[in-house]
């Protein structure tokens, strides 16, 4: 047999043994079940609990009032198994704290909600910003410590 063929055969055998021994720890055993995520049945608890995976805010609608209406579309990581509330708070221009902008209830089975919001765009100086402004938003499920952050914007006084 050609010496280069022997070397290639030994190399292939060594790689095969290493791969098989590495996979041995991955084989299902009584103490090491397979890492398979089962399909959740409707109403089954969501591993890790219900969380917000995305929140998209529409631009605030023009309005003559300093409170501008808008909507935040919120998606969950699965279907809700219990009733709850999604809350949205906004950072008013010139302020350092977030204030409530809106909330909506959800029921078991829902995978998303639309939260109607009203955001005060009046600054702490009492004037309405005429230019386009960004408004930071915090979106959360009541009782959860996880907060999803997004922004909305408005343009001028209408």
């Amino acid at each position: 047999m050609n010496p280069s063929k022997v070397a290639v055969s030994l190399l292939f055998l060594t790689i095969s043994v290493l791969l098989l021994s590495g996979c041995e720890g991955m084989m299902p055993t009584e103490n090491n079940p397979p890492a398979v995520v089962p399909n959740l049945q409707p109403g089954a608890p969501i591993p890790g609990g219900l969380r917000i995976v995305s929140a998209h805010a529409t631009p605030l609608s023009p309005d003559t009032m300093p409170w501008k209406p808008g909507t935040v579309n919120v998606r969950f990581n699965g279907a809700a198994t219990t009733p709850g509330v999604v809350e949205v708070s906004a950072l008013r221009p010139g302020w350092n704290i977030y204030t409530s902008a809106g909330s909506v209830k959800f029921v078991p089975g829902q995978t998303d909600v639309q939260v109607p919001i009203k955001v005060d765009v009046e600054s702490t100086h009492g004037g309405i910003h005429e230019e386009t402004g960004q408004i930071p938003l915090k979106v959360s499920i009541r009782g959860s410590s996880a907060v999803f952050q997004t922004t909305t914007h408005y343009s001028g006084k209408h």
Side-chain angles (χ1 to χ4, degrees):
M1 186 180 250
N2 186 341
S4 63
K5 286 184 180 180
V6 171
V8 170
S9 295
L10 286 173
L11 180 62
F12 179 72
L13 178 63
T14 303
I15 291 172
S16 298
V17 169
L18 289 172
L19 286 174
L20 287 174
S21 65
C23 292
E24 184 179 315
M26 296 169 52
M27 301 297 284
T29 64
E30 189 174 304
N31 295 331
N32 185 19
V36 176
V37 177
N39 289 334
L40 295 176
Q41 297 298 320
I46 299 169
L50 188 66
R51 292 184 318 277
I52 296 170
V53 293
S54 71
H56 174 67
T58 61
L60 298 174
S61 300
D63 196 315
T64 57
M65 302 300 290
W67 292 90
K68 307 289 185 197
T71 303
V72 179
N73 299 307
V74 179
R75 280 198 35 211
F76 303 133
N77 61 330
T81 57
T82 58
V85 176
V86 172
E87 299 176 325
V88 178
S89 56
L91 185 61
R92 185 175 162 183
W95 286 50
N96 294 326
I97 59 170
Y98 283 77
T99 57
S100 179
S103 65
V104 71
K105 293 179 181 179
F106 60 87
V107 296
Q110 280 188 269
T111 58
D112 63 326
V113 293
Q114 287 188 327
V115 184
I117 61 171
K118 284 195 174 192
V119 178
D120 186 355
V121 297
E122 192 171 275
S123 73
T124 55
H125 307 299
I128 294 177
H129 292 273
E130 296 293 333
E131 75 281 358
T132 298
Q134 293 290 329
I135 304 290
L137 301 174
K138 289 185 179 182
V139 185
S140 61
I141 298 172
R142 185 179 291 164
S144 170
S145 61
V147 174
F148 195 94
Q149 294 190 326
T150 188
T151 61
T152 187
H153 66 276
Y154 66 95
S155 56
K157 179 179 177 184
H158 296 277

